[in-house]
Amino acid sequence: MDLVVVLVVCVSSFLLVLLWKQSHGKGKLPPGPTPLPIIGNVLQLNVKNISKSLSNLSKVYGPVFTLYFGMKPTVILHGYEAVKEALIDQGEEFAGRGSFPLAEKASDKFGVIFSNGKRWKDLRRFSLMTLRNFGMGKRSIEDSVQQEACTLVKELRKTNGSPCDPTFILGCAPCNVICSIIFHNHFDYKDKDFLKMMEKFNENVHIMSSPWIQICNMFPILMDYFPGSHNRFISNTNYLKKYVLEKVKEHQESLDINNPRDFIDCFLIKMEKEKHNKQTEFTTENLIMTISDLFAAGTETTSTTLRYGLLLLMKHPEVTAKVQEEIDRVIGRQRSPSMQDRGNMPYMDAVVHEIQRVIDLIPTNLPHSVTRDVKFRNYLIPKGTNILISLTSVHNNDKEFPNPEAFDPGHFLDESGNFKKSDYFMAFSAGKRSCMGEGLARMELFIFLTTILQKFTLKPLVEPKDINTTPANNGFASVPHSFQLRFIPI
Ligand code: HEM
Ligand SMILES: *[C@@H]1O[C@H](CO)[C@@H](O)[C@H](O)[C@H]1NC(C)=O
Ligand SMILES: *[C@@H]1O[C@H](CO)[C@@H](O)[C@H](O)[C@H]1NC(C)=O
């Protein structure tokens, strides 16, 4: 009997100390709803609409608050001020990547997206340099995008103006751009290797946003004991890694150090230069994962934006008419659009920004973490704490964007119709960890959308007022409901 009492006292003091340590010992975390043991605040969240749940909670707890996903505290940043103070003003501290257990399992923390520290810095700097417009050999990245735009037009012509779901074709184009940058090889949209690769990536994106994976990410131990889509995710990733490894071997055999053809060649040259450096991050594992990251981050994001963009343009024919008038005036019907044209096309520029703002593709950003103990406002956030950033809350600021729910390119135009930049545009996030492919993505969005509108009239199958532009899924990415349209050649 006595033993039981002693045990109970011991266990409860231990739990009390643990709780006390969580709230005081390691820092002073922002306020938040009281977590339940083990499951934390999961019941306070609607997993179907996390972003909306966060905005509801911020009305009670303010712009900076703490939620427990399982046992782990996560600090939520809601609204422009808090997001800017963290990502820009304390950029170094907030540039850590938060944990994403499934992705870490698949990547072993190699590559850019899920790494931290020196590895992340070295790989990011190198990749950014290589992705600059003239980073590789003579062929510019803009040439690759323009070439792909021609292929895209050819494929869209083949639909003969009959109703089609554009998902597949609009998925091929951004994937092929990455292929041409990485492999110096651009595929036919019917190529078996290419289709298989796309299929694996698409499947992984769907798995990543499924509710089961959100739960696995909170309770990673489940992945070790239960079967489920996480295994499929890992086998898909392994297939892709193997494919990339074969390509890397081919490149090694035909490498000419003085004439890099593509991203792989540039990386191999860097590996050669650093081969005596024991701390080097330029290893085959990091090459393979970095390439895999570029595909994972650069394909679905761009293609969903294009697809959602077409849907919004059909819903707003008056906007499309103005864009097409501008294209006619600045470029005409024949010449291929180039990035030089953008400076003369403020309306198109505003439309692309407004598409990205309204669709709010990645509502809660990728998870961040703090790289050291940080004093933020009046709080102390311990090193390694996960940080979740609501980009939705920035995009919906009603002072910066009056009537934020409306699709209105005027949000990015001044009174005289010039393009107006906004610090509240954060589709690519902000600060040191922001999207590495921003330059490329902007180029693709501008050139692909301009080319499509130069060559085709978009015909919806229903009246514009009946087009549903609300997102189908707000788990990880906002995607539109599936739809069909006709591409009528101009
Ligand atoms: C419309 C298209 C795109 C959107 C909306 C987008 C958005 C984002 C966002 C929100 C992040 C997270 C930033 C953060 O953690 O704060 C990100 C990261 C990243 N994106 Fe993009 N992205 C797009 C296209 C691309 C493309 C084309 C590439 C390929 C070159 C790319 C490569 C990356 C990489 C490598 C990261 C990880 C950066 C890091 O962890 O340091 N993205 N992107
Ligand atoms: C947010 O709050 C509104 C109003 O209280 C409620 O109707 C809605 O269901 C809440 N949404 C989520 C996702 O929690
Ligand atoms: C989430 O909530 C917001 C605001 O109520 C709404 O606009 C959006 O369509 C919702 N998303 C989903 C997937 O239901």
Side-chain angles (χ1 to χ4, degrees):
M1 197 58 188
D2 278 356
L3 196 69
V4 173
V5 172
V6 171
L7 221 88
V8 167
V9 170
C10 280
V11 169
S12 29
S13 344
F14 176 72
L15 281 177
L16 272 175
V17 169
L18 211 78
L19 269 177
W20 182 81
K21 273 202 125 165
Q22 262 184 3
S23 51
H24 302 272
K26 290 187 288 175
K28 183 169 166 281
L29 285 172
T34 311
L36 292 172
I38 304 182
I39 62 168
N41 296 114
V42 173
L43 301 179
Q44 271 117 334
L45 291 170
N46 174 354
V47 278
K48 290 226 183 81
N49 206 334
I50 301 263
S51 190
K52 180 67 193 161
S53 308
L54 298 183
S55 115
N56 279 1
L57 287 162
S58 82
K59 288 189 192 119
V60 181
Y61 298 100
V64 182
F65 58 98
T66 305
L67 286 180
Y68 284 79
F69 292 97
M71 310 271 273
K72 280 185 80 131
T74 296
V75 172
I76 316 295
L77 304 178
H78 192 275
Y80 176 77
E81 307 301 332
V83 172
K84 178 207 163 247
E85 276 170 43
L87 294 185
I88 312 278
D89 303 344
Q90 291 185 256
E92 194 67 53
E93 289 88 342
F94 282 86
R97 178 60 75 219
S99 74
F100 217 126
L102 174 61
E104 283 158 20
K105 234 179 152 74
S107 73
D108 279 332
K109 301 208 188 183
F110 290 116
V112 185
I113 305 182
F114 295 104
S115 60
N116 272 312
K118 176 178 186 296
R119 171 171 301 168
W120 168 69
K121 278 217 170 88
D122 289 358
L123 293 175
R124 181 169 167 116
R125 187 179 306 128
F126 169 83
S127 307
L128 267 174
M129 267 189 23
T130 311
L131 284 175
R132 287 235 174 91
N133 204 16
F134 293 95
M136 298 168 296
K138 293 182 196 70
R139 181 129 168 273
S140 75
I141 290 187
E142 188 172 349
D143 289 340
S144 307
V145 176
Q146 284 177 321
Q147 184 193 17
E148 199 55 42
C150 290
T151 312
L152 181 60
V153 168
K154 273 195 209 110
E155 291 294 323
L156 292 175
R157 284 233 162 85
K158 286 187 197 157
T159 64
N160 279 324
S162 53
C164 73
D165 178 334
T167 309
F168 175 72
I169 296 179
L170 294 179
C172 290
C175 189
N176 232 351
V177 168
I178 305 271
C179 287
S180 72
I181 291 171
I182 290 174
F183 304 137
H184 191 65
N185 188 358
H186 135 124
F187 295 93
D188 190 271
Y189 289 4
K190 290 194 179 61
D191 185 281
K192 280 213 188 66
D193 280 350
F194 181 68
L195 290 178
K196 185 124 186 226
M197 188 164 74
M198 289 239 314
E199 188 191 301
K200 304 269 173 196
F201 275 116
N202 289 345
E203 194 178 22
N204 273 6
V205 171
H206 288 139
I207 294 175
M208 277 284 246
S209 25
S210 70
W212 167 245
I213 294 306
Q214 313 307 319
I215 293 170
C216 287
N217 279 329
M218 290 182 220
F219 308 104
I221 196 160
L222 293 175
M223 287 191 279
D224 297 330
Y225 292 100
F226 289 95
S229 51
H230 53 276
N231 291 323
R232 182 98 192 136
F233 184 92
I234 291 169
S235 72
N236 284 345
T237 309
N238 288 340
Y239 170 87
L240 294 165
K241 285 198 230 171
K242 227 175 98 203
Y243 181 77
V244 174
L245 184 62
E246 275 169 37
K247 293 275 168 191
V248 168
K249 288 202 178 120
E250 284 170 28
H251 275 66
Q252 255 157 347
E253 280 155 21
S254 56
L255 181 67
D256 172 359
I257 299 214
N258 299 314
N259 273 314
R261 294 157 293 185
D262 53 24
F263 190 90
I264 296 184
D265 277 357
C266 293
F267 202 101
L268 290 172
I269 293 168
K270 186 83 177 168
M271 272 168 79
E272 184 61 28
K273 277 194 196 135
E274 297 226 338
K275 70 179 173 195
H276 298 300
N277 174 359
K278 287 218 168 55
Q279 261 91 50
T280 185
E281 294 296 348
F282 297 92
T283 60
T284 311
E285 286 97 332
N286 274 327
L287 169 56
I288 290 176
M289 243 2 260
T290 301
I291 289 175
S292 191
D293 284 348
L294 294 179
F295 276 109
T299 303
E300 279 279 316
T301 46
T302 312
S303 89
T304 305
T305 306
L306 291 171
R307 183 163 93 253
Y308 219 148
L310 295 188
L311 191 66
L312 285 164
L313 287 166
M314 289 194 297
K315 176 99 183 165
H316 300 274
E318 71 292 352
V319 171
T320 312
K322 279 180 105 163
V323 168
Q324 286 179 319
E325 182 278 319
E326 190 179 63
I327 294 173
D328 256 358
R329 182 160 42 79
V330 178
I331 308 177
R333 297 280 164 91
Q334 295 309 319
R335 186 168 63 76
S336 289
S338 73
M339 290 317 283
Q340 265 207 322
D341 295 315
R342 191 172 58 179
N344 301 321
M345 297 175 68
Y347 194 74
M348 184 63 186
D349 205 2
V351 165
V352 175
H353 280 78
E354 182 66 352
I355 288 172
Q356 291 198 269
R357 183 190 73 82
V358 163
I359 73 171
D360 190 29
L361 186 71
I362 310 181
T364 52
N365 207 354
L366 295 189
H368 279 230
S369 70
V370 285
T371 54
R372 61 173 90 114
D373 293 353
V374 178
K375 186 163 169 3
F376 185 69
R377 297 196 168 180
N378 278 322
Y379 311 113
L380 262 169
I381 308 175
K383 176 176 177 175
T385 306
N386 271 358
I387 310 290
L388 202 62
I389 295 152
S390 170
L391 297 178
T392 311
S393 67
V394 180
H395 290 146
N396 284 344
N397 184 295
D398 58 6
K399 291 214 179 59
E400 182 73 2
F401 305 115
N403 200 1
E405 284 80 38
F407 175 78
D408 175 8
H411 286 138
F412 293 95
L413 292 167
D414 68 13
E415 302 78 45
S416 355
N418 299 312
F419 179 74
K420 184 178 75 179
K421 204 168 160 304
S422 168
D423 291 339
Y424 290 64
F425 175 82
M426 289 198 187
F428 300 103
S429 186
K432 295 198 183 321
R433 194 97 210 194
S434 67
C435 177
M436 216 179 72
E438 177 170 346
L440 174 61
R442 284 176 181 279
M443 191 182 273
E444 291 187 58
L445 295 177
F446 178 78
I447 290 183
F448 289 158
L449 285 173
T450 306
T451 307
I452 292 173
L453 294 171
Q454 179 191 36
K455 303 285 185 195
F456 299 96
T457 304
L458 311 175
K459 272 246 159 26
L461 306 189
V462 297
E463 288 297 310
K465 69 173 172 40
D466 296 324
I467 294 176
N468 177 5
T469 56
T470 60
N473 173 341
N474 244 344
F476 173 64
S478 296
V479 302
H481 292 277
S482 61
F483 65 94
Q484 294 193 322
L485 78 161
R486 297 170 194 271
F487 292 92
I488 312 289
I490 289 179

